[in-house]
Amino acid sequence: MKTTPKFRLPVIAAALMALSTSPVAAAPAKVLMPDANGHTWAIAIHGGAGTMSREAMTPEKEAEYRAALDHALKVGEQVLASGGSALDAVTAVVVTLEDDPHFNAGKGAVFTWEGRNELDSAIMDGRTRAAGAVAGVTIVKNPVKLARAVMEKSPHVMLAREGAEQFARENGLEIVDPKYFYTSERWQQLQEVKSGKLSWFDVDRKYGTVGAVAVDSEGHVAAATSTGGLTGKRWGRIGDSPVIGAGTYADDRACAVSATGSGEFFIREGVAHEICARLRFTKENAQTAADAVMAETGALGGDGGVIVVTPDGQAVFSFNTPGMYRARGNSGGLHEVGIFAGE
């Protein structure tokens, strides 16, 4: 596969190269330089990883996704360039992606078997390792805002379903009719699953979870993730996105991580925390740690990817799927958007 310097194939230790699949990842970001305001920062975002390919995507659809990612990245960059916190930046990015029906989060969330949209989200502050998460909410316009409210205004880390929604009302978050989350494309996908034409795996091989990680001018990191889960999910299934340490983690001593993919495997691997632990205790760089953990997740059978930002400004991606909706930027002028492997 041909690659460019922007998004290179990873180099993994010899022992990991024996695996049947290797992650596809991005090269480390540029060394951080101050922006025009004297701030140093870096940010990475994702909109899901899966089987997206140039052959299967029309030029019009590709342009739509690139524009959506570029817009969300600029939202986060503006927060950081103005001296805002990493926590505010990742919140703003995820809100933007939740409001965009292109992605499986918020407005574009998939349907459960019963025809509901059940939303999960998490956020974590690397300064204190404070965290908030919600699962199975159905009427909160922006689940990431609710996750942040749980972190900042409750003594708990995770709230679910009716209790989470009651907490949202009590704290003045925007409540919407469940019909707000309806999109015809996601509804049709559910009908295909229920008719037996496709399995949930076939439909969701393009994992649409969204996320953002950032480091601000004070050197603090933060991570946020949001998702609608799997098409046709049943029995109150919850994936890795709201699970602190699996799909979301942030620690100023190491890094911030947001994941997307087959959640059951990311939970079993503890992907987000595992990457941070490797950085903290082995002194690997972010790319090496992310590649190694994604290789281990792939060996379990898990597909997907991660975004990682470190306090010193490394901003990297690693994924073992044909594509990943992704973007990154930093105070030194880096501003990139990618979809397919090898870009």
Side-chain angles (χ1 to χ4, degrees):
M1 180 184 298
K2 293 182 179 180
T3 62
T4 70
K6 288 184 179 179
F7 297 100
R8 63 172 178 80
L9 287 171
V11 178
I12 302 177
L16 296 175
M17 289 298 289
L19 295 174
S20 59
T21 58
S22 295
V24 179
K30 301 173 183 177
V31 175
L32 282 187
M33 298 292 290
D35 61 20
N37 298 317
H39 300 130
T40 56
W41 48 266
I43 185 169
I45 73 175
H46 73 75
T51 60
M52 61 283 287
S53 66
R54 293 184 187 278
E55 295 74 25
M57 187 177 294
T58 65
E60 294 77 15
K61 185 63 70 174
E62 178 183 344
E64 288 178 14
Y65 275 102
R66 290 187 185 276
L69 290 165
D70 185 68
H71 172 63
L73 178 62
K74 287 177 178 176
V75 167
E77 288 175 333
Q78 289 169 2
V79 172
L80 295 166
S82 65
S85 70
L87 196 62
D88 286 344
V90 298
T91 303
V93 168
V94 173
V95 166
T96 300
L97 294 171
E98 287 176 339
D99 290 345
D100 191 322
H102 286 91
F103 304 101
N104 176 17
K107 177 63 176 175
V110 301
F111 288 89
T112 68
W113 186 264
E114 294 77 19
R116 292 156 50 93
N117 304 105
E118 296 182 354
L119 314 175
D120 308 330
S121 185
I123 194 166
M124 190 163 182
D125 185 346
R127 295 175 299 171
T128 60
R129 281 170 283 154
V134 294
V137 297
T138 62
I139 58 173
V140 180
K141 182 174 184 285
N142 291 111
V144 72
K145 289 185 177 180
L146 178 53
R148 183 161 176 178
V150 171
M151 178 180 72
E152 296 178 337
K153 300 179 181 181
S154 88
H156 307 300
V157 170
M158 182 181 288
L159 301 180
R161 305 188 182 281
E162 293 84 0
E165 292 168 353
Q166 178 182 344
F167 182 81
R169 291 190 181 96
E170 292 175 358
N171 284 276
L173 275 78
E174 185 172 0
I175 302 299
V176 295
D177 188 292
K179 294 179 181 178
Y180 164 81
F181 300 108
Y182 175 91
T183 59
S184 58
E185 179 181 5
R186 298 301 193 189
W187 183 254
Q188 183 58 39
Q189 288 172 349
L190 175 64
Q191 305 319 305
E192 292 175 344
V193 169
K194 296 185 77 168
S195 68
K197 293 180 181 179
L198 291 173
S199 71
W200 67 264
F201 179 79
D202 292 322
V203 169
D204 290 307
R205 293 187 74 189
K206 178 184 74 60
Y207 302 103
T209 298
V210 306
V213 292
V215 58
D216 58 34
S217 59
E218 300 296 322
H220 301 306
V221 299
T225 313
S226 186
T227 188
L230 296 174
T231 300
K233 64 184 181 180
R234 306 180 79 172
W235 312 299
R237 180 266 184 187
I238 297 169
D240 65 303
S241 297
V243 178
I244 301 302
T248 308
Y249 201 74
D251 184 344
D252 275 5
R253 299 172 299 176
C255 64
V257 181
S258 176
T260 174
S262 42
E264 282 69 16
F265 295 98
F266 280 66
I267 293 172
R268 289 166 57 190
E269 178 70 13
V271 166
H273 184 271
E274 187 83 355
I275 291 170
C276 288
R278 291 185 72 109
L279 279 170
R280 205 178 145 207
F281 297 116
T282 71
K283 306 306 179 183
E284 294 173 336
N285 63 37
Q287 192 68 64
T288 300
D291 289 346
V293 174
M294 279 308 303
E296 291 170 358
T297 306
L300 290 176
D303 292 332
V306 295
I307 55 175
V308 183
V309 161
T310 63
D312 65 1
Q314 298 173 66
V316 306
F317 313 92
S318 185
F319 53 101
N320 61 7
T321 51
M324 180 178 184
Y325 296 119
R326 62 200 189 273
R328 63 178 176 176
N330 68 27
S331 54
L334 178 71
H335 183 92
E336 299 178 340
V337 174
I339 297 177
F340 311 112
E343 290 190 72

